[in-house]
Amino acid sequence: IMINGGHLEAMGKAWPDLIDLTITNVHTPLSGNPLIKLADLFDLTKDLTSLQNLHISFDGRRQGQEQTFDDVKNGDINPANTNLKWLDVGWSLKDRDPDAGSALGQIFSAWWPDLREVRSSTGLGQGWRGVKDLIRRRNYDTELKGTFVAS
């Protein structure tokens, strides 16, 4: 089955109470490029309001998705899901430039404010270190602020 963004949105509407979802190796057969784009992740998770764990391969590169990255810079992003805690990026692709991890981390933080961890079960985790670190720092800062507020 070749799953694309339209399928994901339909899945989100069909299974709003789904807690755990795994969709891997969703690439075009000839080019090997992912069929799922960043905006598709937003569309999927906005309807899956109970989703806590998402394992999915997607295209996290800027090319062809400039609007999503620009939305972060402009602050034009609203949360998609406030329950998502864990994101496994699987075989996902991202740019290799120094700012790529930060940009994706900002997107994920805005879309999923309660995201606790980004991981890669494929062993490709090194390439996603910047994203992982940004999410960890954000969580640490949030917990630290909560400690001071509660005192």
Side-chain angles (χ1 to χ4, degrees):
I1 298 174
M2 296 212 14
I3 296 176
N4 61 32
H7 295 115
L8 293 178
E9 191 167 5
M11 289 165 53
K13 290 179 185 198
W15 302 317
D17 297 327
L18 196 66
I19 294 172
D20 193 334
L21 177 62
T22 299
I23 301 174
T24 59
N25 294 333
V26 186
H27 296 78
T28 56
L30 296 177
S31 71
N33 288 325
L35 291 168
I36 298 171
K37 304 294 184 191
L38 282 171
D40 299 330
L41 296 180
F42 180 89
D43 291 338
L44 170 69
T45 59
K46 74 177 184 235
D47 293 317
L48 291 173
T49 55
S50 297
L51 189 67
Q52 294 180 20
N53 189 11
L54 178 60
H55 178 154
I56 192 164
S57 296
F58 60 91
D59 189 345
R61 298 171 294 183
R62 282 187 182 91
Q63 185 177 354
Q65 304 188 91
E66 292 85 358
Q67 185 63 50
T68 302
F69 285 90
D70 288 345
D71 287 347
V72 170
K73 290 179 191 172
N74 301 331
D76 295 334
I77 293 183
N78 295 315
N81 177 320
T82 57
N83 287 315
L84 190 67
K85 305 285 189 271
W86 300 279
L87 173 65
D88 189 318
V89 298
W91 293 101
S92 299
L93 299 176
K94 73 171 205 46
D95 295 315
R96 294 183 185 266
D97 64 88
D99 297 330
S102 176
L104 285 168
Q106 290 172 4
I107 290 171
F108 297 162
S109 292
W111 285 351
W112 309 306
D114 288 344
L115 187 65
R116 305 303 298 159
E117 184 180 355
V118 174
R119 59 185 176 237
S120 176
S121 61
T122 61
L124 298 175
Q126 285 295 108
W128 287 86
R129 175 165 275 147
V131 179
K132 293 175 182 185
D133 290 347
L134 189 136
I135 297 298
R136 283 188 187 125
R137 276 193 311 273
R138 184 211 57 189
N139 291 336
Y140 176 78
D141 291 346
T142 301
E143 290 170 6
L144 194 60
K145 286 178 189 172
T147 302
F148 289 119
V149 171
S151 297

